Amino acid sequence: AVLESGSAGNGTIDYYSDGAQAGKYAIYWTGSNQYTGPGFNFKPDKDLSQLVAANYEFDFWVKGDTPGTKFQIRFLDSKTTDAADHPWRICFDIDQTKVTWDGTWQHLRIPLKSFFETGAWDNNAWYNTQGKFDWKAVDRFEIIAEYGALGSKKIWFDDIKITGTPITSVIDNPEAKSFDAKAYPNPFTDEVKIEYNLTKSDNLEVCVFDLNGRKLCTLFAGYQTSGRHEIHWNPYHQGFVSTTEGIFVCRISTSEKSETIKLVYKK
């Protein structure tokens, strides 16, 4: 129930390109005119409102070969019969602050709540945002050369999905909601200790993100036994240097559940 609906303009969109990050195929994109790119039409429309409320994330892999590359990913809702309604957009910009365009695969997880409304293009006219985007009636997802023609830039995408802790499992097992994670001191000026509880042995990942959804570092990734654990992080961990105060997000996740906690860094 997901159909191809994009436009390459004078360029190329190959939905079955070699060189996948995982599996057999990736999506390859190059040469598009401005305002064109890969698209996916949902038949029927998708209700994503519960996933937004449950802090789900837009999850994908991307790589590009040209520094300075910038494009937009966005959802469009379904236009109703109301004459005042339009296909409203909710968007997120992908640029060099999110991805290192060095020809290697980069993994991004962007909270759906981080997408921002921009307006609507309808009947050859632009309508400024009115806060009317409807997550209950999502018609399409698009990857668009919003800020200029793509030209000779080459971009690949793989494993595009929306991910999070399954809502049904949280309802069925309220005790599985979290890892009882704590961070202290918080705010911190040098190093923060993150504690969490693993109720059963499992493969675990602990990562730190900025508020744009860009992964800064992985603190732990691997198999861990059940019990109470702790891990330490500072702004210089694994080569990441923070020159300003800021708020970061630590995500602890297994195949069954995920929890995020806010980390406040003060110089």
Side-chain angles (χ1 to χ4, degrees), residues 174 207 221:
C207 301

Side-chain angles (χ1 to χ4, degrees), residues 55-263:
N55 296 315
Y56 271 52
E57 299 168 314
F58 186 79
D59 186 322
F60 67 108
W61 289 81
V62 62
K63 71 175 179 178
D65 67 346
T66 307
T69 296
K70 183 177 182 179
F71 57 88
Q72 189 172 87
I73 59 175
R74 66 194 186 202
F75 295 95
L76 283 76
D77 71 6
S78 185
K79 180 180 177 180
T80 68
T81 56
D82 184 347
D85 190 35
H86 306 285
W88 301 107
R89 303 173 179 181
I90 196 160
C91 310
F92 195 91
D93 292 337
I94 306 298
D95 58 21
Q96 65 277 359
T97 67
K98 318 292 189 309
V99 178
T100 302
W101 302 113
D102 61 358
T104 63
W105 283 107
Q106 315 275 310
H107 188 202
L108 294 182
R109 293 182 67 166
I110 303 163
L112 294 175
K113 288 181 177 180
S114 294
F115 282 66
F116 57 91
E117 294 190 44
T118 59
W121 178 259
D122 194 20
N123 297 321
N124 292 317
W126 177 255
Y127 298 86
N128 289 327
T129 182
Q130 299 177 22
K132 293 183 178 180
F133 181 84
D134 187 3
W135 279 111
K136 293 184 177 181
V138 178
D139 179 53
R140 297 196 307 280
F141 171 75
E142 297 178 337
I143 303 170
I144 298 294
E146 182 71 16
Y147 301 102
L150 202 61
S152 61
K153 301 180 181 72
K154 299 176 181 179
I155 307 174
W156 291 260
F157 303 91
D158 201 4
D159 200 20
I160 301 172
K161 58 189 176 183
I162 295 175
T163 187
T165 303
I167 295 173
T168 53
S169 69
V170 172
I171 295 173
D172 294 339
N173 183 10
E175 294 182 357
K177 287 182 179 179
S178 71
F179 297 90
D180 188 26
K182 295 179 174 59
Y184 54 88
N186 198 18
F188 68 100
T189 57
D190 181 25
E191 183 176 88
V192 60
K193 180 168 73 172
I194 301 157
E195 289 189 351
Y196 55 92
N197 187 57
L198 197 57
T199 56
K200 65 177 183 179
S201 301
D202 202 346
N203 286 312
L204 182 88
E205 185 178 64
V206 183
C207 301
V208 177
F209 298 80
D210 63 18
L211 291 183
N212 290 320
R214 181 170 64 104
K215 182 190 288 187
L216 303 179
C217 61
T218 300
L219 302 181
F220 181 86
Y223 187 79
Q224 198 165 59
T225 57
S226 61
R228 194 73 180 171
H229 300 273
E230 67 177 53
I231 198 165
H232 297 259
W233 181 70
N234 64 60
Y236 299 92
H237 190 91
Q238 296 183 354
F240 170 68
V241 177
S242 175
T243 58
T244 61
E245 297 182 349
I247 297 175
F248 304 93
V249 176
C250 177
R251 187 185 71 227
I252 305 166
S253 58
T254 65
S255 59
E256 297 181 347
K257 58 184 179 180
S258 177
E259 181 182 359
T260 59
I261 54 175
K262 181 170 68 175
L263 307 176

Side-chain angles (χ1 to χ4, degrees), residues 20-79:
Q21 186 277 329
K24 190 172 184 180
Y25 299 116
I27 298 173
Y28 171 65
W29 180 36
T30 189
S32 278
N33 300 340
Q34 189 174 15
Y35 308 129
T36 63
F40 305 88
N41 189 17
F42 302 138
K43 293 287 186 176
D45 293 346
K46 302 297 183 184
D47 180 354
L48 303 181
S49 59
Q50 293 185 57
L51 304 186
V52 176
N55 296 315
Y56 271 52
E57 299 168 314
F58 186 79
D59 186 322
F60 67 108
W61 289 81
V62 62
K63 71 175 179 178
D65 67 346
T66 307
T69 296
K70 183 177 182 179
F71 57 88
Q72 189 172 87
I73 59 175
R74 66 194 186 202
F75 295 95
L76 283 76
D77 71 6
S78 185
K79 180 180 177 180

